[in-house]
Amino acid sequence: MTKYIFVTGGVVSSVGKGITVASIGTVLKSRGISVSVQKLDPYLNVDPGTMSPYQHGEVFVTGDGAETDLDLGNYERFIDIDLTAESNTTSGQVYSAVIAKERRGDFLGGTIQVVPHLTGEIKDRFRKLADKSKADVLLIEVGGTVGDIEGQPFLEAIRQMRKDVGRDNVLYVHVTLLPYIGPTQELKTKPTQHSVNELRRIGIQPDVIVCRSDISIPEAIRDKISLFCDVDREAVIFCPTVNSIYEVPLVLESEGLGDFMVRKLDLKAHPPQLDSWREMVSCFSGACDTVRIALVGKYVELKDAYYSVREALTHAAMHHGRKLQIDWVQSEDLERPGGEKLLEHAQGIIVPGGFGDRGIEGMIKAAKYARVHKVPYFGLCLGLQIMVIEFGRHVLSAARANSTEFDAGTAHPVIDIMPEQKVVCGKGGTMRLGNWPCQVVPGTKAAAAYGKELVYERHRHRFEFNNRYLDSYRAAGMVFSGLSPDRKLVEVCELADHPWMVACQFHPEFTSRPGKPQPLFRDFIGAAKDVLREGSQAALPLAAE
Ligand code: GLN
């Protein structure tokens, strides 16, 4: 029978609840306990696929093609599991499902209410994932902060679960912040007390309190929180900010959270095996040489928009024993005269995914710079389309080469909407999504990276390379190194005459894991790490424009 760990957040959002949940997963898995995870998002959107990155950060795509919260990326990376659509439940989905049932007549004349109908639908989703995953423990994170109006049905549902599955099969973990007051040099527990009171008001008494803080926490605080919040002293877990998010499982373990959970839930477990995790983290913190990558995008003010890209770069840098330094380059800044200066320190340039035409010309400049100066380049989805447009304009001299996404009437639509997308009207969940197979062409850089001929990667796009241009691109030196098995879609392209200029129509960032870097990311950083640039020992000789 599956046991449940519910994680709520208090005091403020962005306190690190997602990383805590992911790290609890690591700690349990290290004891041989199988884990699955579900994120509950209180907003009314059906999924984050239609939200602006400014509102929501990255949209994480699962293998089965669900557009989900970025926390799922952390769960997958920390626990090394592949999640599915069932791992993200939003209020939008819950309300839609209940209303659809009502319209079908499933409730036989009853009045439809938040309790028990909405809460019942939420609990069904817990059970469905428990049945499907057969996990020993289902970790459930309630998004938002305790006290939010729209989060109430979720909190009520997790409260009811205690009675449904039995007190001993449920653990409530509350993650809070201890704010630091500078003038008195104190960490304050009052907001934690208040948020625990708020939880109790709706009938939930937390079993564990994870205290986040930017500085180390004095021991006396453990007693205070234990007393005021009525939790065991050993269940007050300190989690001060650390250098890398991958250290958090080790912090929770050393605070005794693993043993506490095993005991409280009476789980069958072996002693924790975290040696390889520890080694991975120590390699990372021990690295002194850096590898410097320019990430060129339009949402760079908001790093969360490129969360998985940053993590995948980190894993690859870790693999090569380097510290990652990212220059976040706003693509519009490259459009100004002299903008290239922003790239002159970069040992590698990455152009990640994106939508809409803002900043596109800057990205094209970045691709040209990488090609001409032979700086390693990695294009992800939009980054492939940019590489293709740049090549069309400057190598094939088709000055107006473009994607029909940015210029519907372009004379050279080198990137065009996929035929099956032409008939799509709705916006939500309608792109080409999730895992699709890709046949890798032997003898290419892509083949060298993957070391196999058939790979599956996750997608999220509507536009594609226009096959009418295949021959002219090939003749000019572009290599199409990954194709869909029916050979209709270009999945990977690269330049023969360049140290490493590779781009893919999919999103390889979603499958990278610490200790297991995604192969293309690994080889991109491998190519970048020894490149000498401005400010490094010797300047790279620049090829003529
Ligand atoms: N806007 C492009 C498309 O839809 C690229 C999408 C992306 O980068 N995810 O094809």
Side-chain angles (χ1 to χ4, degrees), residues 460-521:
R460 183 171 186 251
H461 63 122
R462 297 187 202 281
F463 293 79
E464 254 292 337
F465 183 86
N466 184 343
N467 288 340
R468 272 170 42 206
Y469 294 92
L470 272 175
D471 290 341
S472 41
Y473 271 71
R474 266 200 192 109
M478 187 171 278
V479 177
F480 296 97
S481 49
L483 298 169
S484 58
D486 64 6
R487 309 186 74 76
K488 286 197 177 137
L489 300 173
V490 168
E491 294 282 13
V492 191
C493 65
E494 55 190 71
L495 292 190
D497 178 28
H498 190 284
W500 209 90
M501 189 152 185
V502 179
C504 47
Q505 190 53 75
F506 43 78
H507 289 273
E509 66 270 28
F510 294 139
T511 48
S512 186
R513 308 269 159 92
K516 269 198 254 172
Q518 198 281 341
L520 295 173
F521 273 90

Short mmCIF file of all heavy atoms in Angstrom, two decimals, residues 460-521:
data_model
loop_
_atom_site.label_atom_id
_atom_site.label_comp_id
_atom_site.label_asym_id
_atom_site.label_seq_id
_atom_site.Cartn_x
_atom_site.Cartn_y
_atom_site.Cartn_z
N ARG A 460 8.46 20.29 -28.21
CA ARG A 460 7.40 21.27 -27.94
C ARG A 460 7.50 22.37 -29.00
O ARG A 460 8.15 23.40 -28.81
CB ARG A 460 7.59 21.87 -26.54
CG ARG A 460 6.49 22.86 -26.15
CD ARG A 460 6.58 23.26 -24.69
NE ARG A 460 5.47 24.07 -24.30
CZ ARG A 460 5.55 25.38 -24.03
NH1 ARG A 460 6.70 26.02 -24.08
NH2 ARG A 460 4.46 26.04 -23.68
N HIS A 461 6.90 22.13 -30.14
CA HIS A 461 7.02 23.12 -31.23
C HIS A 461 5.91 22.94 -32.27
O HIS A 461 5.22 21.91 -32.29
CB HIS A 461 8.39 22.98 -31.92
CG HIS A 461 8.61 21.66 -32.61
ND1 HIS A 461 8.89 21.57 -33.94
CD2 HIS A 461 8.56 20.38 -32.15
CE1 HIS A 461 9.04 20.29 -34.29
NE2 HIS A 461 8.84 19.55 -33.22
N ARG A 462 5.77 23.96 -33.13
CA ARG A 462 4.82 23.90 -34.25
C ARG A 462 5.54 24.02 -35.59
O ARG A 462 4.98 23.69 -36.62
CB ARG A 462 3.83 25.07 -34.17
CG ARG A 462 2.93 25.06 -32.95
CD ARG A 462 1.87 26.15 -33.05
NE ARG A 462 1.37 26.50 -31.72
CZ ARG A 462 0.46 25.77 -31.07
NH1 ARG A 462 -0.04 24.69 -31.61
NH2 ARG A 462 0.06 26.13 -29.86
N PHE A 463 6.75 24.56 -35.57
CA PHE A 463 7.46 24.85 -36.83
C PHE A 463 8.62 23.87 -37.02
O PHE A 463 9.09 23.26 -36.07
CB PHE A 463 7.96 26.30 -36.81
CG PHE A 463 6.83 27.29 -36.85
CD1 PHE A 463 6.11 27.60 -35.70
CD2 PHE A 463 6.47 27.90 -38.04
CE1 PHE A 463 5.04 28.49 -35.73
CE2 PHE A 463 5.41 28.80 -38.08
CZ PHE A 463 4.69 29.10 -36.92
N GLU A 464 9.06 23.75 -38.28
CA GLU A 464 10.06 22.73 -38.64
C GLU A 464 10.89 23.22 -39.81
O GLU A 464 10.49 24.13 -40.54
CB GLU A 464 9.34 21.46 -39.11
CG GLU A 464 9.36 20.32 -38.15
CD GLU A 464 10.73 19.70 -37.93
OE1 GLU A 464 11.65 19.83 -38.78
OE2 GLU A 464 10.90 19.08 -36.88
N PHE A 465 12.02 22.56 -40.02
CA PHE A 465 12.83 22.82 -41.22
C PHE A 465 11.98 22.51 -42.45
O PHE A 465 11.30 21.47 -42.49
CB PHE A 465 14.09 21.96 -41.22
CG PHE A 465 15.00 22.23 -42.38
CD1 PHE A 465 15.93 23.25 -42.32
CD2 PHE A 465 14.89 21.50 -43.55
CE1 PHE A 465 16.75 23.52 -43.40
CE2 PHE A 465 15.70 21.77 -44.64
CZ PHE A 465 16.64 22.79 -44.57
N ASN A 466 12.04 23.38 -43.44
CA ASN A 466 11.27 23.20 -44.67
C ASN A 466 12.08 22.34 -45.64
O ASN A 466 13.10 22.79 -46.19
CB ASN A 466 10.97 24.58 -45.27
CG ASN A 466 10.09 24.50 -46.49
OD1 ASN A 466 9.94 23.44 -47.09
ND2 ASN A 466 9.51 25.63 -46.86
N ASN A 467 11.62 21.11 -45.87
CA ASN A 467 12.41 20.14 -46.66
C ASN A 467 12.69 20.57 -48.10
O ASN A 467 13.57 20.01 -48.74
CB ASN A 467 11.71 18.78 -46.66
CG ASN A 467 11.82 18.12 -45.29
OD1 ASN A 467 12.69 18.49 -44.49
ND2 ASN A 467 10.94 17.19 -44.99
N ARG A 468 11.97 21.57 -48.58
CA ARG A 468 12.27 22.07 -49.93
C ARG A 468 13.71 22.58 -50.02
O ARG A 468 14.27 22.67 -51.10
CB ARG A 468 11.32 23.23 -50.26
CG ARG A 468 10.02 22.74 -50.89
CD ARG A 468 8.98 23.84 -51.01
NE ARG A 468 9.48 25.13 -51.46
CZ ARG A 468 8.89 26.29 -51.16
NH1 ARG A 468 7.80 26.30 -50.40
NH2 ARG A 468 9.37 27.43 -51.61
N TYR A 469 14.27 22.94 -48.90
CA TYR A 469 15.62 23.53 -48.91
C TYR A 469 16.71 22.52 -48.55
O TYR A 469 17.87 22.89 -48.44
CB TYR A 469 15.66 24.72 -47.93
CG TYR A 469 14.77 25.86 -48.39
CD1 TYR A 469 13.45 25.95 -47.95
CD2 TYR A 469 15.25 26.82 -49.28
CE1 TYR A 469 12.62 26.98 -48.39
CE2 TYR A 469 14.43 27.85 -49.72
CZ TYR A 469 13.12 27.92 -49.27
OH TYR A 469 12.31 28.94 -49.71
N LEU A 470 16.33 21.25 -48.35
CA LEU A 470 17.32 20.26 -47.91
C LEU A 470 18.55 20.23 -48.83
O LEU A 470 19.69 20.29 -48.36
CB LEU A 470 16.69 18.87 -47.87
CG LEU A 470 15.99 18.44 -46.57
CD1 LEU A 470 15.33 17.08 -46.77
CD2 LEU A 470 16.96 18.40 -45.40
N ASP A 471 18.31 20.13 -50.13
CA ASP A 471 19.43 19.94 -51.07
C ASP A 471 20.38 21.14 -51.06
O ASP A 471 21.59 20.98 -51.01
CB ASP A 471 18.91 19.68 -52.49
CG ASP A 471 18.26 18.31 -52.57
OD1 ASP A 471 18.53 17.48 -51.67
OD2 ASP A 471 17.45 18.08 -53.50
N SER A 472 19.80 22.34 -51.10
CA SER A 472 20.71 23.50 -51.15
C SER A 472 21.49 23.64 -49.84
O SER A 472 22.68 24.00 -49.87
CB SER A 472 19.96 24.78 -51.51
OG SER A 472 18.75 24.85 -50.84
N TYR A 473 20.88 23.35 -48.72
CA TYR A 473 21.60 23.42 -47.44
C TYR A 473 22.70 22.37 -47.39
O TYR A 473 23.83 22.66 -46.99
CB TYR A 473 20.64 23.24 -46.26
CG TYR A 473 20.04 24.54 -45.78
CD1 TYR A 473 19.08 25.22 -46.55
CD2 TYR A 473 20.42 25.12 -44.57
CE1 TYR A 473 18.53 26.40 -46.11
CE2 TYR A 473 19.88 26.31 -44.13
CZ TYR A 473 18.93 26.95 -44.90
OH TYR A 473 18.40 28.14 -44.47
N ARG A 474 22.36 21.16 -47.85
CA ARG A 474 23.37 20.08 -47.84
C ARG A 474 24.56 20.47 -48.70
O ARG A 474 25.71 20.33 -48.28
CB ARG A 474 22.75 18.80 -48.42
CG ARG A 474 22.20 17.92 -47.35
CD ARG A 474 22.04 16.47 -47.80
NE ARG A 474 21.26 15.77 -46.81
CZ ARG A 474 20.01 15.36 -46.98
NH1 ARG A 474 19.40 15.53 -48.14
NH2 ARG A 474 19.37 14.76 -46.00
N ALA A 475 24.27 20.98 -49.89
CA ALA A 475 25.34 21.32 -50.82
C ALA A 475 26.26 22.39 -50.21
O ALA A 475 27.45 22.44 -50.51
CB ALA A 475 24.74 21.80 -52.13
N ALA A 476 25.71 23.23 -49.34
CA ALA A 476 26.51 24.32 -48.78
C ALA A 476 27.19 23.92 -47.47
O ALA A 476 27.85 24.74 -46.83
CB ALA A 476 25.62 25.54 -48.57
N GLY A 477 27.01 22.68 -47.03
CA GLY A 477 27.78 22.22 -45.85
C GLY A 477 26.99 21.97 -44.59
O GLY A 477 27.57 21.72 -43.53
N MET A 478 25.67 22.06 -44.67
CA MET A 478 24.91 21.70 -43.45
C MET A 478 24.64 20.19 -43.48
O MET A 478 24.30 19.64 -44.53
CB MET A 478 23.61 22.48 -43.34
CG MET A 478 22.94 22.22 -42.00
SD MET A 478 21.53 23.29 -41.65
CE MET A 478 22.29 24.77 -41.03
N VAL A 479 24.84 19.56 -42.34
CA VAL A 479 24.63 18.12 -42.24
C VAL A 479 23.35 17.88 -41.43
O VAL A 479 23.19 18.45 -40.35
CB VAL A 479 25.84 17.47 -41.50
CG1 VAL A 479 25.62 15.97 -41.31
CG2 VAL A 479 27.13 17.75 -42.25
N PHE A 480 22.46 17.08 -41.98
CA PHE A 480 21.24 16.75 -41.25
C PHE A 480 21.48 15.43 -40.53
O PHE A 480 21.42 14.36 -41.12
CB PHE A 480 20.05 16.74 -42.21
CG PHE A 480 19.83 18.11 -42.80
CD1 PHE A 480 20.34 18.45 -44.05
CD2 PHE A 480 19.21 19.10 -42.05
CE1 PHE A 480 20.21 19.74 -44.55
CE2 PHE A 480 19.07 20.39 -42.55
CZ PHE A 480 19.57 20.70 -43.80
N SER A 481 21.82 15.56 -39.26
CA SER A 481 22.38 14.40 -38.55
C SER A 481 21.35 13.66 -37.71
O SER A 481 21.66 12.64 -37.09
CB SER A 481 23.55 14.85 -37.68
OG SER A 481 23.20 15.98 -36.91
N GLY A 482 20.11 14.15 -37.68
CA GLY A 482 19.04 13.44 -36.99
C GLY A 482 17.74 13.68 -37.75
O GLY A 482 17.42 14.83 -38.06
N LEU A 483 17.03 12.62 -38.09
CA LEU A 483 15.77 12.75 -38.82
C LEU A 483 14.72 11.88 -38.16
O LEU A 483 15.06 10.86 -37.52
CB LEU A 483 15.94 12.27 -40.27
CG LEU A 483 16.94 13.03 -41.15
CD1 LEU A 483 17.17 12.27 -42.45
CD2 LEU A 483 16.42 14.44 -41.47
N SER A 484 13.44 12.24 -38.32
CA SER A 484 12.39 11.35 -37.84
C SER A 484 12.50 10.05 -38.65
O SER A 484 12.94 10.10 -39.81
CB SER A 484 11.02 12.01 -38.01
OG SER A 484 10.83 12.33 -39.37
N PRO A 485 12.12 8.89 -38.09
CA PRO A 485 12.31 7.64 -38.81
C PRO A 485 11.65 7.63 -40.20
O PRO A 485 12.15 6.98 -41.11
CB PRO A 485 11.68 6.59 -37.89
CG PRO A 485 11.84 7.19 -36.53
CD PRO A 485 11.66 8.68 -36.71
N ASP A 486 10.57 8.38 -40.39
CA ASP A 486 9.97 8.44 -41.74
C ASP A 486 10.70 9.45 -42.63
O ASP A 486 10.30 9.69 -43.76
CB ASP A 486 8.47 8.76 -41.65
CG ASP A 486 8.20 10.14 -41.06
OD1 ASP A 486 9.17 10.91 -40.81
OD2 ASP A 486 7.02 10.48 -40.82
N ARG A 487 11.75 10.03 -42.11
CA ARG A 487 12.62 10.98 -42.81
C ARG A 487 11.90 12.26 -43.23
O ARG A 487 12.37 13.01 -44.07
CB ARG A 487 13.30 10.32 -44.04
CG ARG A 487 13.97 8.99 -43.70
CD ARG A 487 14.75 8.40 -44.86
NE ARG A 487 16.01 9.11 -45.13
CZ ARG A 487 17.11 8.99 -44.39
NH1 ARG A 487 17.11 8.20 -43.34
NH2 ARG A 487 18.20 9.66 -44.70
N LYS A 488 10.76 12.53 -42.65
CA LYS A 488 10.00 13.73 -43.05
C LYS A 488 10.42 14.97 -42.25
O LYS A 488 10.19 16.09 -42.68
CB LYS A 488 8.51 13.48 -42.86
CG LYS A 488 7.95 12.56 -43.93
CD LYS A 488 6.45 12.66 -43.99
CE LYS A 488 5.90 11.79 -45.09
NZ LYS A 488 4.72 11.05 -44.70
N LEU A 489 10.97 14.77 -41.04
CA LEU A 489 11.28 15.92 -40.19
C LEU A 489 12.75 15.95 -39.82
O LEU A 489 13.32 14.93 -39.41
CB LEU A 489 10.45 15.87 -38.90
CG LEU A 489 8.93 15.88 -39.03
CD1 LEU A 489 8.28 15.65 -37.68
CD2 LEU A 489 8.46 17.21 -39.62
N VAL A 490 13.35 17.14 -39.95
CA VAL A 490 14.73 17.32 -39.48
C VAL A 490 14.69 17.46 -37.97
O VAL A 490 13.97 18.30 -37.43
CB VAL A 490 15.35 18.58 -40.12
CG1 VAL A 490 16.65 18.95 -39.42
CG2 VAL A 490 15.58 18.37 -41.61
N GLU A 491 15.45 16.63 -37.29
CA GLU A 491 15.49 16.68 -35.82
C GLU A 491 16.81 17.26 -35.30
O GLU A 491 16.83 17.89 -34.25
CB GLU A 491 15.28 15.28 -35.23
CG GLU A 491 13.90 14.68 -35.48
CD GLU A 491 12.83 15.24 -34.55
OE1 GLU A 491 13.07 16.25 -33.88
OE2 GLU A 491 11.74 14.65 -34.51
N VAL A 492 17.91 17.00 -36.05
CA VAL A 492 19.21 17.54 -35.63
C VAL A 492 19.95 18.01 -36.88
O VAL A 492 19.89 17.35 -37.91
CB VAL A 492 20.10 16.47 -34.93
CG1 VAL A 492 21.32 17.13 -34.27
CG2 VAL A 492 19.32 15.67 -33.90
N CYS A 493 20.62 19.15 -36.78
CA CYS A 493 21.50 19.56 -37.87
C CYS A 493 22.80 20.07 -37.29
O CYS A 493 22.88 20.41 -36.11
CB CYS A 493 20.83 20.59 -38.77
SG CYS A 493 20.48 22.14 -37.97
N GLU A 494 23.82 20.07 -38.11
CA GLU A 494 25.14 20.49 -37.64
C GLU A 494 25.96 20.99 -38.82
O GLU A 494 25.59 20.75 -39.98
CB GLU A 494 25.85 19.36 -36.91
CG GLU A 494 25.99 18.08 -37.71
CD GLU A 494 26.49 16.90 -36.84
OE1 GLU A 494 25.74 16.40 -35.98
OE2 GLU A 494 27.64 16.51 -37.06
N LEU A 495 27.06 21.66 -38.53
CA LEU A 495 27.93 22.13 -39.61
C LEU A 495 29.16 21.23 -39.67
O LEU A 495 29.78 20.94 -38.64
CB LEU A 495 28.36 23.57 -39.37
CG LEU A 495 27.26 24.62 -39.47
CD1 LEU A 495 27.87 26.01 -39.46
CD2 LEU A 495 26.41 24.43 -40.74
N ALA A 496 29.51 20.81 -40.90
CA ALA A 496 30.67 19.94 -41.06
C ALA A 496 31.94 20.74 -40.75
O ALA A 496 32.81 20.30 -40.02
CB ALA A 496 30.70 19.40 -42.48
N ASP A 497 31.97 21.97 -41.25
CA ASP A 497 33.19 22.76 -41.19
C ASP A 497 33.17 23.69 -39.96
O ASP A 497 33.22 24.91 -40.09
CB ASP A 497 33.26 23.58 -42.50
CG ASP A 497 34.47 24.49 -42.52
OD1 ASP A 497 35.46 24.15 -41.85
OD2 ASP A 497 34.40 25.54 -43.19
N HIS A 498 33.06 23.12 -38.80
CA HIS A 498 32.98 23.92 -37.57
C HIS A 498 33.33 22.99 -36.41
O HIS A 498 32.94 21.81 -36.43
CB HIS A 498 31.55 24.46 -37.40
CG HIS A 498 31.41 25.50 -36.31
ND1 HIS A 498 31.40 25.16 -34.97
CD2 HIS A 498 31.30 26.84 -36.35
CE1 HIS A 498 31.27 26.27 -34.25
NE2 HIS A 498 31.21 27.31 -35.07
N PRO A 499 34.01 23.48 -35.37
CA PRO A 499 34.38 22.58 -34.27
C PRO A 499 33.16 21.91 -33.62
O PRO A 499 33.18 20.73 -33.32
CB PRO A 499 35.08 23.49 -33.25
CG PRO A 499 35.43 24.72 -34.00
CD PRO A 499 34.53 24.84 -35.19
N TRP A 500 32.08 22.66 -33.40
CA TRP A 500 30.88 22.05 -32.81
C TRP A 500 29.71 23.04 -32.93
O TRP A 500 29.51 23.88 -32.06
CB TRP A 500 31.10 21.68 -31.33
CG TRP A 500 30.26 20.50 -30.89
CD1 TRP A 500 30.61 19.19 -30.94
CD2 TRP A 500 28.94 20.53 -30.32
NE1 TRP A 500 29.60 18.40 -30.45
CE2 TRP A 500 28.56 19.19 -30.05
CE3 TRP A 500 28.03 21.55 -30.02
CZ2 TRP A 500 27.33 18.84 -29.50
CZ3 TRP A 500 26.80 21.20 -29.46
CH2 TRP A 500 26.47 19.86 -29.22
N MET A 501 29.01 22.94 -34.01
CA MET A 501 27.82 23.77 -34.18
C MET A 501 26.67 22.80 -34.48
O MET A 501 26.54 22.30 -35.60
CB MET A 501 28.00 24.79 -35.31
CG MET A 501 26.88 25.81 -35.38
SD MET A 501 27.41 27.38 -36.08
CE MET A 501 25.93 28.39 -35.87
N VAL A 502 25.91 22.53 -33.45
CA VAL A 502 24.89 21.48 -33.52
C VAL A 502 23.59 22.06 -32.97
O VAL A 502 23.59 22.83 -32.01
CB VAL A 502 25.32 20.26 -32.66
CG1 VAL A 502 24.26 19.16 -32.70
CG2 VAL A 502 26.67 19.71 -33.11
N ALA A 503 22.48 21.70 -33.58
CA ALA A 503 21.19 22.17 -33.06
C ALA A 503 20.15 21.08 -33.21
O ALA A 503 20.24 20.25 -34.11
CB ALA A 503 20.75 23.43 -33.80
N CYS A 504 19.21 21.07 -32.30
CA CYS A 504 18.17 20.03 -32.36
C CYS A 504 16.79 20.67 -32.26
O CYS A 504 16.61 21.71 -31.61
CB CYS A 504 18.39 19.01 -31.25
SG CYS A 504 18.70 19.72 -29.64
N GLN A 505 15.82 20.04 -32.91
CA GLN A 505 14.46 20.56 -32.91
C GLN A 505 13.74 20.18 -31.60
O GLN A 505 12.69 20.71 -31.28
CB GLN A 505 13.71 20.03 -34.14
CG GLN A 505 12.36 20.66 -34.40
CD GLN A 505 12.43 22.18 -34.44
OE1 GLN A 505 12.89 22.76 -35.39
NE2 GLN A 505 11.97 22.84 -33.38
N PHE A 506 14.35 19.29 -30.83
CA PHE A 506 13.74 18.87 -29.56
C PHE A 506 14.40 19.60 -28.38
O PHE A 506 15.26 20.46 -28.58
CB PHE A 506 13.83 17.35 -29.41
CG PHE A 506 15.15 16.76 -29.79
CD1 PHE A 506 16.24 16.83 -28.94
CD2 PHE A 506 15.32 16.13 -31.03
CE1 PHE A 506 17.47 16.27 -29.30
CE2 PHE A 506 16.54 15.58 -31.39
CZ PHE A 506 17.62 15.65 -30.52
N HIS A 507 13.99 19.21 -27.18
CA HIS A 507 14.51 19.85 -25.96
C HIS A 507 15.29 18.84 -25.13
O HIS A 507 14.74 18.25 -24.20
CB HIS A 507 13.34 20.41 -25.13
CG HIS A 507 12.69 21.60 -25.74
ND1 HIS A 507 13.13 22.88 -25.52
CD2 HIS A 507 11.65 21.70 -26.58
CE1 HIS A 507 12.38 23.74 -26.19
NE2 HIS A 507 11.46 23.04 -26.85
N PRO A 508 16.57 18.66 -25.42
CA PRO A 508 17.35 17.66 -24.70
C PRO A 508 17.57 18.05 -23.24
O PRO A 508 17.93 17.19 -22.42
CB PRO A 508 18.68 17.63 -25.46
CG PRO A 508 18.79 18.97 -26.10
CD PRO A 508 17.39 19.38 -26.42
N GLU A 509 17.34 19.32 -22.90
CA GLU A 509 17.58 19.76 -21.52
C GLU A 509 16.69 19.03 -20.51
O GLU A 509 17.02 18.94 -19.34
CB GLU A 509 17.39 21.28 -21.39
CG GLU A 509 15.97 21.82 -21.61
CD GLU A 509 15.66 22.18 -23.05
OE1 GLU A 509 16.27 21.59 -23.97
OE2 GLU A 509 14.79 23.05 -23.27
N PHE A 510 15.53 18.53 -20.99
CA PHE A 510 14.58 17.92 -20.04
C PHE A 510 15.04 16.57 -19.52
O PHE A 510 14.51 16.08 -18.53
CB PHE A 510 13.19 17.78 -20.68
CG PHE A 510 12.54 19.10 -20.98
CD1 PHE A 510 11.84 19.29 -22.17
CD2 PHE A 510 12.61 20.15 -20.07
CE1 PHE A 510 11.23 20.51 -22.45
CE2 PHE A 510 12.00 21.37 -20.35
CZ PHE A 510 11.31 21.55 -21.55
N THR A 511 15.97 15.92 -20.21
CA THR A 511 16.33 14.56 -19.78
C THR A 511 17.71 14.49 -19.14
O THR A 511 18.18 13.40 -18.81
CB THR A 511 16.27 13.58 -20.97
OG1 THR A 511 16.96 14.15 -22.06
CG2 THR A 511 14.83 13.29 -21.36
N SER A 512 18.36 15.62 -18.95
CA SER A 512 19.68 15.59 -18.31
C SER A 512 19.54 15.39 -16.80
O SER A 512 18.60 15.91 -16.19
CB SER A 512 20.41 16.91 -18.59
OG SER A 512 21.71 16.84 -18.11
N ARG A 513 20.44 14.65 -16.23
CA ARG A 513 20.40 14.37 -14.78
C ARG A 513 21.80 14.60 -14.20
O ARG A 513 22.79 14.37 -14.89
CB ARG A 513 20.00 12.91 -14.52
CG ARG A 513 18.72 12.46 -15.23
CD ARG A 513 17.49 12.69 -14.37
NE ARG A 513 16.27 12.75 -15.15
CZ ARG A 513 15.47 11.71 -15.42
NH1 ARG A 513 15.77 10.52 -14.96
NH2 ARG A 513 14.37 11.87 -16.12
N PRO A 514 21.87 15.01 -12.93
CA PRO A 514 23.21 15.16 -12.34
C PRO A 514 23.90 13.80 -12.33
O PRO A 514 23.29 12.80 -11.98
CB PRO A 514 22.92 15.64 -10.90
CG PRO A 514 21.50 15.25 -10.63
CD PRO A 514 20.79 15.24 -11.94
N GLY A 515 25.14 13.76 -12.76
CA GLY A 515 25.85 12.48 -12.85
C GLY A 515 25.57 11.74 -14.15
O GLY A 515 26.25 10.78 -14.47
N LYS A 516 24.55 12.17 -14.89
CA LYS A 516 24.22 11.55 -16.18
C LYS A 516 23.87 12.67 -17.17
O LYS A 516 22.71 12.86 -17.53
CB LYS A 516 22.97 10.66 -16.02
CG LYS A 516 23.27 9.22 -15.67
CD LYS A 516 22.04 8.37 -15.96
CE LYS A 516 21.36 7.97 -14.68
NZ LYS A 516 20.06 7.31 -14.89
N PRO A 517 24.87 13.45 -17.58
CA PRO A 517 24.54 14.58 -18.46
C PRO A 517 23.96 14.11 -19.78
O PRO A 517 24.33 13.03 -20.26
CB PRO A 517 25.89 15.26 -18.67
CG PRO A 517 26.92 14.22 -18.38
CD PRO A 517 26.31 13.31 -17.36
N GLN A 518 23.07 14.89 -20.33
CA GLN A 518 22.50 14.55 -21.64
C GLN A 518 23.65 14.61 -22.66
O GLN A 518 24.48 15.53 -22.62
CB GLN A 518 21.39 15.57 -21.95
CG GLN A 518 20.41 15.15 -23.03
CD GLN A 518 20.98 15.35 -24.42
OE1 GLN A 518 21.93 16.09 -24.61
NE2 GLN A 518 20.39 14.66 -25.38
N PRO A 519 23.76 13.64 -23.58
CA PRO A 519 24.94 13.53 -24.46
C PRO A 519 25.27 14.79 -25.28
O PRO A 519 26.45 15.12 -25.42
CB PRO A 519 24.59 12.37 -25.38
CG PRO A 519 23.60 11.55 -24.63
CD PRO A 519 22.83 12.51 -23.77
N LEU A 520 24.26 15.46 -25.83
CA LEU A 520 24.58 16.64 -26.65
C LEU A 520 25.11 17.77 -25.76
O LEU A 520 26.06 18.47 -26.13
CB LEU A 520 23.35 17.12 -27.43
CG LEU A 520 22.81 16.15 -28.50
CD1 LEU A 520 21.50 16.68 -29.07
CD2 LEU A 520 23.82 15.95 -29.63
N PHE A 521 24.50 17.95 -24.58
CA PHE A 521 25.01 18.96 -23.64
C PHE A 521 26.45 18.61 -23.23
O PHE A 521 27.32 19.48 -23.16
CB PHE A 521 24.12 19.03 -22.39
CG PHE A 521 22.96 19.97 -22.55
CD1 PHE A 521 21.75 19.51 -23.04
CD2 PHE A 521 23.08 21.30 -22.21
CE1 PHE A 521 20.68 20.38 -23.20
CE2 PHE A 521 22.02 22.18 -22.36
CZ PHE A 521 20.81 21.71 -22.86
#
